[in-house]
Amino acid sequence: TGGWLESAVTDGAYWYTNLRQTVQLESAVRELIASGHGAFLEMSPHPVLTVPVAETVEAAGSEVVVTGTLRRGQGGLARFYTSLGEAWTRGVTVDWGQAFAEQQPRRVELPTYAFQRQRYWLDAPEPAGPFTGPVVFGGVDLADDGFWESVEDGDVESLAQTLGLDDQESLGAIVPALSSWRRGRRERSTLDSWRYRI
């Protein structure tokens, strides 16, 4: 009828009328919204009325929670608790103590954020023996520094001295090629330093 029933009527006449006449679902929902109800929970094995109830709520311009309890093929406690959780996250008050009375629930500390208070980066290994690598100062290998400076300046004489060569003419053709190679290598190295690597 769309109005309040003073007492539960579930006799044969009620069900006959329910099947033979139009069920006034929309007017009943609007009446409940107008009287201040803020949540509609469909208690059934499969919530088939949540869609029309939600559409009525939307048409009425109201913000009311509409959800079900069980679903077809999901009739156990897990589904029921999930529905309670859905209702609770949407503002419906749920008595969790009653819901989980037999499970004896307790509060637990949440885990910390994955990267808090724990170092995940690998440490550089310590050298096994005496250090025999190049002498590096400010990111520059001092042994190579003089060599490449001579190449970039095109100073064949200084380069020949660094390499311990008497014949400077043989270096004349190779120094420009080395200088060009070094310049390209440095540019690529700069670009590579901007890339993100795992």
Side-chain angles (χ1 to χ4, degrees), residues 147-180:
F147 173 81
W148 287 114
E149 189 176 326
S150 299
V151 168
E152 289 174 357
D153 292 343
D155 188 353
V156 177
E157 182 180 344
S158 175
L159 187 59
Q161 289 176 357
T162 302
L163 296 174
L165 298 175
D166 295 330
D167 182 16
Q168 296 181 10
E169 292 180 16
S170 60
L171 293 175
I174 198 168
V175 167
L178 278 174
S179 178
S180 176

Side-chain angles (χ1 to χ4, degrees), residues 7-179:
S7 61
V9 179
T10 56
D11 58 4
Y14 167 80
W15 289 111
Y16 176 81
T17 304
N18 188 51
L19 292 171
R20 297 289 293 169
Q21 297 182 6
T22 303
V23 175
Q24 303 294 325
L25 178 65
E26 181 183 6
S27 56
V29 171
R30 287 183 180 274
E31 178 69 28
L32 291 169
I33 293 170
S35 62
H37 289 78
F40 293 90
L41 307 176
E42 184 176 353
M43 310 297 172
S44 70
H46 190 66
V48 294
L49 297 178
T50 53
V51 173
V53 170
E55 289 175 350
T56 303
V57 166
E58 185 179 347
S62 180
E63 293 189 14
V64 173
V65 177
V66 181
T67 188
T69 52
L70 306 177
R71 291 186 184 171
R72 186 179 295 118
Q74 300 177 11
L77 276 177
R79 175 66 250 177
F80 183 69
Y81 287 150
T82 301
S83 297
L84 285 178
E86 290 172 358
W88 182 73
T89 57
R90 296 176 66 190
V92 177
T93 302
V94 175
D95 184 357
W96 293 109
Q98 185 69 25
F100 292 102
E102 295 181 7
Q103 278 78 16
Q104 299 177 344
R106 59 185 173 81
R107 291 184 181 270
V108 296
E109 291 295 324
L110 290 175
T112 58
Y113 178 65
F115 294 101
Q116 280 183 336
R117 303 182 190 87
Q118 186 169 354
R119 180 179 163 85
Y120 285 89
W121 305 111
L122 297 175
D123 293 321
E126 294 293 329
F131 183 70
T132 57
V135 179
V136 177
F137 180 75
V140 177
D141 183 345
L142 296 181
D144 288 347
D145 190 35
F147 173 81
W148 287 114
E149 189 176 326
S150 299
V151 168
E152 289 174 357
D153 292 343
D155 188 353
V156 177
E157 182 180 344
S158 175
L159 187 59
Q161 289 176 357
T162 302
L163 296 174
L165 298 175
D166 295 330
D167 182 16
Q168 296 181 10
E169 292 180 16
S170 60
L171 293 175
I174 198 168
V175 167
L178 278 174
S179 178

